Amino acid sequence: MTQTLVSSHKKEVIIGFDQPFCVIGERINPTGRKKLAAEMAAGDYSTVEADTLAQVEAGANMLDVNAGIPLADEPAILAETIKLVQSLVDVPLSIDSSIVEALERGLEVYQGKALVNSVTGEEERLEVVLPLIKKYGAAVVAISNDETGISEDPDVRFEVAKKIVHRAADFGIPACDVVVDPLVMPIGALGQAGVAAFRLIRRLREELGVNTTCGASNISFGLPNRHALNAHFLAMAASNGMTSAIMNPLHQEEMTGIMAANVLNGVDTNCARWLRQFRAPPAAGSQEEARHERRRRRV
Amino acid sequence: MTQTLVSSHKKEVIIGFDQPFCVIGERINPTGRKKLAAEMAAGDYSTVEADTLAQVEAGANMLDVNAGIPLADEPAILAETIKLVQSLVDVPLSIDSSIVEALERGLEVYQGKALVNSVTGEEERLEVVLPLIKKYGAAVVAISNDETGISEDPDVRFEVAKKIVHRAADFGIPACDVVVDPLVMPIGALGQAGVAAFRLIRRLREELGVNTTCGASNISFGLPNRHALNAHFLAMAASNGMTSAIMNPLHQEEMTGIMAANVLNGVDTNCARWLRQFRAPPAAGSQEEARHERRRRRV
């Protein structure tokens, strides 16, 4: 049973087939968030702080941290952000950058075993990112595209993932430390994007034995009622073996989908999380209410 | 690719792996509905009429018709109900009774190719129900329990389903006319009920090549926020190959789950059904709005 262990200085999280789905909060990312980008570039981390606390409060099991701001000193800002986030919360982090120097600076300051987001199947990337993963004993998100781009054929994407897993092994990184992103396409443009993703996720689990993750909201791009589509996509993907997603934990519908999938996949023991979230407060007139009422009157 | 064709006098519906999920409306059933039972026993079909129209309006592709009222003349009432429902709507029906005489009377009056609900793996049932299915050229729901009851072991339930499919073949009924109900247990009592159902549904599809159905709401029995659990169960089951369910189409959350599953399984062509349901009305100031406004002013 494949298990990817990631950790902070205080907490371990296991991504695995027999574990509750791992929600990786996506909010700490200035891409497309002009105000946040300007703040981070100016050394103002107030929004980062708020996003950190809100995501963990909403149930994120890990947080992705990205500092990709044009013309800014990304390695320095990423390191600073990681230090700040680790001072605020216990959850392990995913260190997210397309710049190798930023990944390394992030890994240098990170306390624990990080998830690095990401490496692709491009030779040039494999050669520089995998040694870093090995050096810092991290885990890595492997994106199933290569020099030829993103194939629409899920079998080609499977082969790219397989190549990355094999190359990682050459560097001494076990398959359990490679979390594959099968690349989810917008279903509004590509009607078979869902079944392609589900089939690929199942093959990655059954044939390669790896954990999987994805940017879930891409599936619903351009369509109405996106939250409902995302929520059911997440549950269906989890049913086919997907074990984590990079997503917005502040979206309640998606989180309900994840919680339902955990119940239905038998990894929410005694439905405890579900009951905690949704059990109605005791009705008026119930014993508990009555006790409370007696206590209140005594005051 | 397995296809179960059912029909009314006016309409064909195909239950199949490459088809939109088939929603079989469950409302015309006096079990647990005292008022409806009393009405039907007294020859008052006003609630049946309302339930018929409302379910088709809400998107049911078929309707289940049950007339199981204690001490009443079930065969006569079932036949009467079927005739009434067929006079009101075009969708094919599922004729639902545990009394063989009622099934036969229902089949006699039914116009089209019905789905008969149901036969079990019990010898006595197989011997009386299967000849009826053959005689009337119907399709049948096969419930995967037998004389020993309902096994908690999905492999045992698979073997029961296999036996029914083989026995049906002995009577000249093809596997495509057997729709297996894998029997979904309440997950609040049996934590592995979801994964057991998904695995069984997948085996039924891949190894037996049959369509499947279930009473979906059973999964959430005793738990809070049942609609969300049901909706995600339906989507996950559809992702594992379930092709129909007997359910309440008036529950919006469940229907949204089905519609999302159709989009994500690539069987809602161009997301047409999803767009029709959820696309926002044209914004104020849009061309259509403007035209409407001009027309209004002329009045």
Side-chain angles (χ1 to χ4, degrees), chain B residues 1 5 7 10 12 21 23 25 30 33 67 86 90 103 114 154 168 191 193 198 212 240 260 265 278 291 296-297:
Chain B
M1 196 67 92
L5 187 146
S7 66
K10 291 188 183 163
E12 288 185 352
F21 195 88
V23 173
R33 297 179 73 186
Q86 286 214 291
D90 293 349
L103 291 180
F198 301 143
T212 42
N240 283 280
N265 279 336
F278 296 112
R291 267 197 304 275
R296 200 183 59 80
R297 286 192 185 165

Side-chain angles (χ1 to χ4, degrees), chain A residues 89-258:
Chain A
V89 290
D90 292 351
V91 298
L93 304 187
S94 152
I95 301 177
D96 183 0
S97 178
S98 54
I99 295 175
V100 179
E101 294 68 36
L103 292 180
E104 177 138 35
R105 282 287 291 284
L107 284 163
E108 274 169 18
V109 302
Y110 184 73
Q111 298 179 62
K113 179 182 171 185
L115 180 64
V116 167
N117 185 6
S118 58
V119 70
T120 66
E122 297 159 287
E123 276 307 319
E124 194 191 8
R125 303 296 297 175
L126 292 166
E127 289 298 325
V128 292
V129 176
L130 293 180
L132 271 187
I133 304 302
K134 179 62 185 173
K135 178 177 171 190
Y136 288 93
V140 67
V141 173
I143 305 208
S144 51
N145 73 299
D146 62 12
E147 290 82 359
T148 63
I150 301 174
S151 172
E152 281 192 15
D153 180 348
D155 292 337
V156 172
R157 301 217 293 279
F158 179 82
E159 292 304 324
V160 175
K162 193 169 163 184
K163 180 180 89 170
I164 303 176
V165 169
H166 288 170
R167 292 299 297 278
D170 293 341
F171 282 93
I173 302 160
C176 67
D177 279 340
V178 181
V179 178
V180 175
D181 181 340
L183 285 169
V184 172
M185 312 284 191
I187 201 153
L190 207 67
Q192 298 305 307
V195 279
F198 302 144
R199 212 178 104 231
L200 184 47
I201 289 164
R202 192 166 282 273
R203 286 194 71 194
L204 289 166
R205 175 181 180 143
E206 291 176 357
E207 297 177 39
L208 273 191
V210 291
N211 280 307
T212 42
T213 195
C214 75
S217 62
N218 205 34
I219 192 79
S220 62
F221 182 79
L223 290 175
N225 200 3
R226 291 189 68 173
H227 295 307
L229 264 187
N230 294 344
H232 290 90
F233 172 75
L234 284 162
M236 291 165 84
S239 193
N240 283 280
M242 194 167 74
T243 44
S244 71
I246 300 171
M247 56 183 278
N248 187 341
L250 306 181
H251 290 158
Q252 282 199 332
E253 252 178 288
E254 281 87 333
M255 289 301 275
T256 297
I258 297 288

Side-chain angles (χ1 to χ4, degrees), chain B residues 69-80:
Chain B
I69 305 159
L71 306 177
D73 183 357
E74 184 174 334
I77 299 175
L78 184 60
E80 205 56 45

Side-chain angles (χ1 to χ4, degrees), chain A residues 258-278:
Chain A
I258 297 288
M259 282 187 279
N262 283 338
V263 168
L264 296 163
N265 279 335
V267 291
D268 179 3
T269 311
N270 299 322
C271 308
R273 178 81 178 81
W274 186 265
L275 289 169
R276 200 160 68 240
Q277 186 79 21
F278 296 112

Side-chain angles (χ1 to χ4, degrees), chain B residues 121-139:
Chain B
E122 296 160 286
E123 276 308 318
E124 195 192 5
R125 302 294 298 174
L126 291 166
E127 289 298 325
V128 293
V129 177
L130 293 179
L132 271 187
I133 304 302
K134 178 63 186 171
K135 178 176 172 191
Y136 289 92

Side-chain angles (χ1 to χ4, degrees), chain A residues 71-86:
Chain A
L71 306 177
D73 183 358
E74 183 174 334
I77 299 175
L78 184 60
E80 204 56 43
T81 309
I82 287 169
K83 283 195 281 185
L84 172 69
V85 174
Q86 287 214 291

